[in-house]
Amino acid sequence: MKLDLIYDVLTKVYREEEYPALAEQICQWRGSHPLAGRKIFDATPVFRNTMMKYAALLEAGAELTVGFGRGIPYDAGIVEFLKKCEVRIADASALRDCYDVVLDCAGANTDVKAKYGYVELTRSGLERYRNCAQPVFLADNGHIKEIETSLGTGDGFRRGMIHFGFEDFSGKKIVLFGFGKVGRGIVMYARRAGAEVVVVDDIQKVTVPSGMEAVNLKNRSEIESAVQSAWCVVCATGVRNALCGKMDSKVLVNSPAILVNMGVEDEFGPDVPEERVLNGKKPLNFVLEEPTLLKYIDPTMALDNDGILEILEGRVVPGLNNPPACLEEKILDTVRRAGAVALELDNLEKMR
């Protein structure tokens, strides 16, 4: 395993304050090798910063297989680089193997066999594991994932729009479907850039910041009116076909608005052509070399890795399991103490 080649790339790009949680794992696991001899399948979206996550697993002694594709965006260049580093990349044969633990994303690998259990990275994958009889550690179901999905994805939305030439948000109207973790981050970054944001959601279940307009998800006429006057329409519900039946799709397709999908699933639905949506309906930030900056995704990737030990050491029961608060606090303490994102955590707390 040519781990030194991976470090050579990463240390030229990232400062340690951008990955404090993974740096701590790497330091601890390099000496203790808690995953020695364990077969681990990791389907975290493959991009440059994901290699820091792999480094921790390899230092822990894991026999790592990296899964990619299957509907999840990835960087083909990084896949080829990992092959040169002698990291096993999943092929048809690898997908038929049985692993000690499978780290999944969006439930794309529920068919890959796990001896002890699964770790799921996303909210969208939760439903695909709901009836799983084995232990499932839900890395998404806690406060740590909010750093990635709110701060990181909000920043990724802004950078993705700039990539496509839409840098000036000042005075522009954005209609946002979904005010969950991802939606809150988009609101934060869009308003900071001077945009007017209208949130469409179940207004009995969400509370939007004061001074913002909210439209009830059940009010078809108000939704269509908001869309017709929008500069940009963003989907951030995390639900496949979320807009189907909520409005006349022709109003959406024929509007002058820029259309953006921020979830792994196609939230616009089949009546909206791929070419009508930026990045062909794939999450907007996945057009970037680094969809989510490492400083935002570092705590999530560390928690995802820790999920392996939670399963192997018997602290996770069959069925769905949220991250234990003590584990999250341990990681958050590291980020607050040594992380580049520490100052932004206060803004995140205010958006809850």
Side-chain angles (χ1 to χ4, degrees):
M1 189 69 61
K2 299 178 180 178
L3 187 51
D4 57 325
L5 293 181
I6 294 176
Y7 281 134
D8 187 53
V9 170
L10 295 176
T11 55
K12 288 178 180 177
V13 179
Y14 303 112
R15 306 181 311 277
E16 192 163 314
E17 65 182 20
E18 296 178 84
Y19 58 97
L22 287 171
E24 188 165 286
Q25 276 188 348
I26 288 169
C27 183
Q28 292 177 350
W29 290 357
R30 181 180 287 145
S32 61
H33 304 297
L35 299 178
R38 296 293 192 178
K39 293 179 65 176
I40 304 299
F41 183 95
D42 192 337
T44 304
V46 182
F47 289 90
R48 183 178 60 196
N49 59 17
T50 322
M51 292 195 293
M52 197 68 78
K53 183 181 196 293
Y54 304 150
L57 296 176
L58 293 169
E59 293 284 14
E63 295 179 11
L64 177 65
T65 297
V66 170
F68 72 100
R70 311 193 103 185
I72 306 299
Y74 65 94
D75 185 325
I78 297 298
V79 171
E80 292 305 311
F81 176 73
L82 289 170
K83 291 178 181 177
K84 292 178 182 178
C85 295
E86 300 175 357
V87 175
R88 188 189 187 201
I89 302 297
D91 55 14
S93 173
L95 292 171
R96 291 193 295 270
D97 280 356
C98 182
Y99 299 87
D100 288 300
V101 178
V102 170
L103 307 181
D104 204 356
C105 175
N109 295 278
T110 55
D111 60 327
V112 178
K113 296 177 183 177
K115 186 175 181 181
Y116 296 103
Y118 296 82
V119 180
E120 172 52 47
L121 184 64
T122 69
R123 172 76 65 176
S124 56
L126 184 154
E127 289 303 320
R128 296 174 188 178
Y129 281 100
R130 189 169 294 281
N131 298 316
C132 182
Q134 292 178 274
V136 180
F137 182 93
L138 299 171
D140 186 86
N141 275 23
H143 291 316
I144 278 180
K145 192 69 187 293
E146 291 185 60
I147 300 173
E148 173 197 345
T149 53
S150 292
L151 297 178
T153 307
D155 168 77
F157 166 70
R158 183 85 171 93
R159 289 185 295 120
M161 291 292 283
I162 291 171
H163 172 87
F164 281 102
F166 304 110
E167 185 169 358
D168 183 12
F169 279 40
S170 183
K172 305 290 179 63
K173 179 179 176 180
I174 296 175
V175 175
L176 171 69
F177 286 82
F179 194 62
K181 287 181 286 191
V182 173
R184 288 195 294 273
I186 291 170
V187 166
M188 184 188 305
Y189 280 87
R191 295 184 81 191
R192 187 181 296 171
E196 170 197 350
V197 184
V198 177
V199 169
V200 182
D201 207 320
D202 185 337
I203 59 175
Q204 293 183 334
K205 295 182 179 179
V206 301
T207 302
V208 302
S210 60
M212 271 183 57
E213 182 182 349
V215 173
N216 194 326
L217 190 59
K218 299 176 183 178
N219 193 324
R220 186 183 180 109
S221 62
E222 284 193 16
I223 291 173
E224 292 179 353
S225 177
V227 165
Q228 287 174 325
S229 61
W231 170 68
C232 179
V233 174
V234 184
C235 279
T237 69
V239 178
R240 183 186 293 273
N241 300 330
L243 268 60
C244 292
K246 301 297 187 297
M247 62 179 300
D248 184 345
S249 60
K250 292 179 181 178
V251 172
L252 190 63
V253 173
N254 295 330
S255 79
I258 304 158
L259 304 187
V260 173
N261 189 52
M262 288 303 297
V264 174
E265 305 285 359
D266 170 14
E267 301 183 29
F268 284 99
D271 291 336
V272 179
E274 283 187 9
E275 61 271 17
R276 181 66 182 82
V277 184
L278 291 186
N279 202 28
K281 288 191 174 181
K282 294 187 287 293
L284 178 67
N285 54 322
F286 280 99
V287 74
L288 303 167
E289 181 180 24
E290 191 162 324
T292 304
L293 296 180
L294 180 56
K295 66 179 181 177
Y296 296 121
I297 203 170
D298 161 68
T300 296
M301 292 198 292
L303 179 64
D304 202 61
N305 283 352
D306 274 325
I308 302 171
L309 295 181
E310 293 295 301
I311 290 171
L312 293 178
E313 294 174 6
R315 292 189 289 272
V316 181
V317 299
L320 304 180
N321 296 262
N322 293 337
C326 58
L327 176 57
E328 287 205 296
E329 276 305 310
K330 176 177 176 292
I331 294 172
L332 287 171
D333 284 345
T334 299
V335 174
R336 293 185 186 107
R337 183 182 69 252
V341 74
L343 293 177
E344 295 182 73
L345 294 182
D346 288 340
N347 291 332
L348 182 58
E349 291 289 338
K350 293 173 184 176
M351 288 293 291
R352 281 183 184 150

